[in-house]
Amino acid sequence: MSESKHHKDSALKVHDGIDQPDAVSPEAAKRFKEIRPKSLEAVEYVRAILNGDRAVLSKAITMVESALPKHQELAQQIIEECVPHAGRSLRIGITGVPGVGKSTFIEALGKHLTSQGNRIAVLAIDPSSRRSRGSILGDKTRMEDLANDPNAFIRPSSSAGTLGGVTRNTRESVILCEAAGYNIIFVETVGVGQSETAVHSMVDFFLLLMLAGAGDELQGIKRGIMEMADAIVINKADGDNIPKAEIAAREYSNALHLFPPSPSGWTPRVMTASSTEGTRIREVWEMVIEYEREVKATGYFDARRKEQALQAFTDTVEETIRQKFFSNPDVMSLIPGLQKDILSGKISPYAAALRLVSGH
């Protein structure tokens, strides 16, 4: 028997089998790609943001807020490409003490604006614990109707106890939202700290929400915040609360006349409104548009934007220096010893700070 015949008829011959299936089914692979999308380069991020892709916009803002160097580097590349497409929105800051109804008010006003064809973004700065760095981040729950509106984008951000970081992150998030085509940007802050001053430095119109008959101790609003306000709205003016709201509006209006004139030339207004019933929401927006028209006509709008850009530069330099200083290994090695000396009374906190800065 020939050798080829032997191999052909041998019981040891290996027969061709069926094609082996893929290790992962195509359906499963597709689902996995949907869950874990491929990392996008900066140009792809920018292209998607300019096309109004909300998912990619959210990812870009997450990178802005990230402390990882690789995320920060990519975020800055995206922002640089988006800057030429930004700056064409109306930026509105909204503040007020907890319980004043900020989220409900923004949702009522936001729904009114999207019904008119506007695209709005809400950047909500949530209070965070300095101890745990935890935050509530509940605005999407409180603004459920607006969150489901295709012409609205809601992004809660944790303040994480560092005001400078919030300021930079929010400013850069505004740029990304404007590039994505949102023509009205709301920046909401909790209304119990210095974040109001930071928000005022990045918006065109600053709105203060107040309650009627809450008592001075509950209002917790200092004169400085009232001086920053371009308008005060007495919220929850409905039912039996309407007379109280009207009295409060008159009192706040009288108080505003005691303040120095605004550099914008605009006389701050006081109005009443009800977010839950939707009353006077349209009138509030008409007032905002009137303000925009007036300050643009006088040139104040553009001058204010330029002033804010320079302020953003200064704030970013200060925040960057602070971060680099405290992440320096030599500085980090000196801090525990200086803290120990402060607690033992060997050195004053001021002398310890000077020693730390000088590196001795």
Side-chain angles (χ1 to χ4, degrees):
M1 186 181 291
S2 67
E3 186 175 352
S4 61
K5 175 73 173 173
H6 172 77
H7 284 295
K8 181 178 180 181
D9 298 334
S10 171
L12 298 176
K13 178 179 181 295
V14 177
H15 295 278
D16 294 334
I18 62 173
D19 292 336
Q20 294 298 310
D22 294 333
V24 180
S25 71
E27 291 78 14
K30 182 180 179 182
R31 288 196 301 271
F32 183 78
K33 286 182 179 179
E34 290 173 348
I35 297 171
R36 297 287 300 276
K38 291 175 64 177
S39 177
L40 299 173
E41 295 297 326
V43 64
E44 294 175 299
Y45 268 99
V46 174
R47 186 183 299 117
I49 289 171
L50 294 180
N51 287 332
D53 190 319
R54 293 199 295 182
V56 175
L57 174 61
S58 290
K59 286 186 64 178
I61 293 177
T62 297
M63 282 191 293
V64 165
E65 296 172 347
S66 172
L68 294 178
K70 64 178 182 179
H71 287 169
Q72 280 294 308
E73 182 180 356
L74 181 55
Q76 292 309 313
Q77 293 174 12
I78 295 169
I79 290 165
E80 281 190 35
E81 294 296 321
C82 285
V83 166
H85 305 279
R88 291 184 284 271
S89 77
L90 180 60
R91 306 166 185 172
I92 301 169
I94 296 185
T95 190
V97 295
V100 76
K102 292 187 295 295
S103 296
T104 308
F105 179 84
I106 292 173
E107 181 169 54
L109 182 55
K111 293 294 290 184
H112 170 71
L113 294 173
T114 56
S115 70
Q116 295 182 332
N118 294 289
R119 299 187 69 221
I120 72 164
V122 181
L123 302 175
I125 300 174
D126 263 287
S128 299
S129 166
R130 285 183 177 270
R131 187 172 300 173
S132 67
R133 296 295 190 262
S135 62
I136 301 170
L137 302 179
D139 280 285
K140 280 197 174 183
T141 302
R142 295 194 293 266
M143 304 182 202
E144 188 174 354
D145 288 344
L146 193 59
N148 293 323
D149 191 318
N151 289 317
F153 175 79
I154 300 175
R155 176 69 185 211
S157 297
S158 167
S159 64
T162 57
L163 185 58
V166 172
T167 304
R168 180 183 61 80
N169 292 349
T170 306
R171 281 182 174 133
E172 293 178 347
S173 297
V174 167
I175 291 172
L176 294 176
C177 289
E178 289 177 339
Y182 294 98
N183 64 310
I184 299 170
I185 313 290
F186 291 105
V187 181
E188 175 197 355
T189 183
V190 69
V192 292
Q194 291 182 328
S195 57
E196 284 68 40
T197 304
V199 170
H200 183 260
S201 71
M202 67 180 81
V203 299
D204 306 309
F205 187 91
F206 194 68
L207 178 63
L208 174 61
L209 291 181
M210 304 287 264
L211 293 171
D216 292 337
E217 64 280 358
L218 178 58
Q219 291 285 2
I221 297 295
K222 299 194 186 314
R223 174 188 170 114
I225 298 177
M226 287 187 62
E227 285 182 319
M228 289 189 292
D230 296 302
I232 296 176
V233 171
I234 313 299
N235 197 23
K236 301 185 180 181
D238 45 49
D240 296 338
N241 206 36
I242 292 177
K244 294 180 182 178
E246 291 175 346
I247 293 172
R250 287 195 296 271
E251 290 176 348
Y252 282 119
S253 182
N254 292 333
L256 286 175
H257 287 299
L258 302 176
F259 295 160
S262 169
S264 66
W266 167 264
T267 301
R269 310 281 178 84
V270 182
M271 300 179 64
T272 61
S274 171
S275 306
T276 54
E277 295 187 355
T279 53
R280 305 210 72 195
I281 296 298
R282 179 176 57 84
E283 287 82 354
V284 170
W285 182 246
E286 289 173 350
M287 173 189 60
V288 176
I289 294 301
E290 183 183 350
Y291 169 88
E292 180 188 25
R293 185 168 54 248
E294 283 193 19
V295 296
K296 281 187 173 180
T298 61
Y300 178 82
F301 186 93
D302 291 335
R304 175 82 173 137
R305 282 282 180 97
K306 291 176 181 177
E307 178 186 321
Q308 290 176 348
L310 294 178
Q311 184 64 48
F313 167 73
T314 303
D315 291 345
T316 303
V317 169
E318 292 177 354
E319 179 67 14
T320 302
I321 291 174
R322 189 190 70 83
Q323 289 179 346
K324 287 186 177 295
F325 179 79
F326 283 106
S327 62
N328 184 298
D330 294 335
V331 172
M332 294 174 68
S333 66
L334 289 172
I335 288 177
L338 289 171
Q339 289 176 333
K340 184 177 179 181
D341 289 343
I342 292 171
L343 294 176
S344 64
K346 292 181 179 179
I347 190 173
S348 73
Y350 311 103
L354 293 175
R355 185 175 297 180
L356 182 65
V357 171
S358 64
H360 297 103

